[in-house]
Amino acid sequence: MSSLHTTRVRRRRLGVAAAAAGLFATLLAAGPAVATPDPGDRQAKEEISSSQAAEVKSAIQNGEIPGVDEIVHSPNISHLANVPKDLIKGTNSDLAFQGKYAFSGNYDGFRIFDISNPKSPKTVSQVLCPGSQNDVSVSGDLLFLSTDSSRSDNSCTSTTQPATEKSSWEGMKIFDISDKRNPKYVAAVETACGSHTHTLVPERKDVYVYVSSYSPSASFPDCQPPHDGISVIKVPRKSPEKAAIVNFPVLFPQGGNPGGPTNPGVSSTTGCHDITVLPSKDLAAGACMGDGILFDIKDPEHPKVIDQVQDNVNFAFWHSATFNQEANKVVFTDELGGGGSATCNAEIGPNRGADGIYDIVGKGDKRELVFRSYYKIPRYQADTENCVAHNGSLIPVKGRDIMVQSWYQGGVSVWDFTNSSKPKEIAYFERGPISAETMVGGGTWSAYYYNGYIYSNDMVKGFDVLRLDDRLTDPAKRVRMSELNVQTQPDYFDRSGH
């Protein structure tokens, strides 16, 4: 049974932290952020003091935050369905869509849903193939799966093995999904430092895959420093078994962000975390640890960097990127704390662990990224809730820039950034903390808009379907897609691409 707390109640601040907010803001303005991030979508458990636990329990009793696992949402959001985990028990991760199907990544494999009736998704198949984080994309009859954990081999029966061993394997796996009930594993490509995430650049005969990975070490035979670029894989559609690396473009020839101690609390750039491409504009935006980049992908095998920006005050780990429809803005996310920390509170404030909104100004190779503002959910979360900006997508409304986004245990936020300098939330959905006593990793990993509905993959609770009814977003219900990989951002209003 869903319940609804008013936005006014949910915005109340918790205890002593609120009183300290003004002082903290003053200190933040005076110098760079000091929190050292532990990047990379992890599920760490933090120690919570007895006083913090007591404060969380008191906030629940007073209605300041939802109760444990209690669902709350704005009036314009409806919760239509939840499908718990089934045979595959690992952490749910990213989502992709094709026709009437949704593809749900999981650290232990992937699951295919029939979403022809969004109120009642049905499981079509489940594939056990361990290898975190199993970032997933689809194109035609092919499904792509990222492996960013060191495995004994490239099979779906592999076991964990130290990255210090030369025989260990990490990289991309490719499946044939022409029969959704019986996906077949057809190819694998090993990539330097594995594949944390990947992005498709689909062509008619081939699919190019940009592989993002990071954190090399001299002790890792297959992940040696410097790791200052991305792997580019070419996959022939008719012969996916011939998939192979065709380039490793260096994106940071002068070196990326050095991180600490030069820039305290900021990740050094040793690769990229995620890339979003906009094929209709031959553009890509890279979230690369300590840097945000804009690059030209007219020649997909040889991407060329146009601009590179840093935020050494409020960004700790550049995590992901989203273009607006007109390709004159990019939203970058900062995954402060690596997804395992409580950063949606008064202590951290509104500008860290947030979205950074950048305008793209100029033309051609002279285009630049210009910072405009930050956006962060306006509802403080408990100290037992991991919460930070994470994966989201555009909601296709002509003339407006609106996005739906995951915030782990901060839930799902729908927000408008048509005015780059004054973003505002217009809808939300969230669950109360998993625990009122200890930090337990969980919450929504990805929240994407597809053919009239919002689909959210909760790491612990399963697959959620939401309906958004709002005059600002209702026009998007008329936009229909035949396929959607959010990191391969479509031109939503080019009917020839549907």
Side-chain angles (χ1 to χ4, degrees), residues 100-102 112-118 120-125 181 455 463:
K100 66 177 184 178
Y101 300 102
I112 302 178
F113 292 101
D114 181 334
I115 55 172
S116 53
N117 179 3
S120 183
K122 304 296 184 186
T123 299
V124 176
S125 59
R181 296 186 178 279
Y455 296 91
F463 182 70

Side-chain angles (χ1 to χ4, degrees), residues 1 14 48 50 52 97 150 158 167 175 184 187 228 256 280 293 304 317 326 329 331 357 384 408 481 495:
M1 186 73 175
L14 303 184
I48 300 298
S50 57
Q52 286 175 309
F97 305 89
S150 188
S158 67
S167 63
F175 290 77
K184 295 180 179 179
D228 49 13
S280 63
I293 59 174
K304 180 177 65 174
F317 186 80
E326 297 301 317
K329 299 175 188 176
V331 174
I357 304 166
T384 58
Y408 289 113
M481 307 298 297
R495 296 299 175 185

Side-chain angles (χ1 to χ4, degrees), residues 32-44:
V34 295
T36 301
D38 187 359
D41 302 318
R42 60 188 179 86
Q43 290 187 78

Side-chain angles (χ1 to χ4, degrees), residues 7 11 375-379 412-416 423-428:
T7 303
R11 284 182 174 171
Y375 169 76
K376 195 169 184 180
I377 56 173
R379 297 167 309 286
V412 174
S413 177
V414 179
W415 58 289
D416 187 327
K424 58 183 179 180
E425 184 174 75
I426 59 177
Y428 71 89

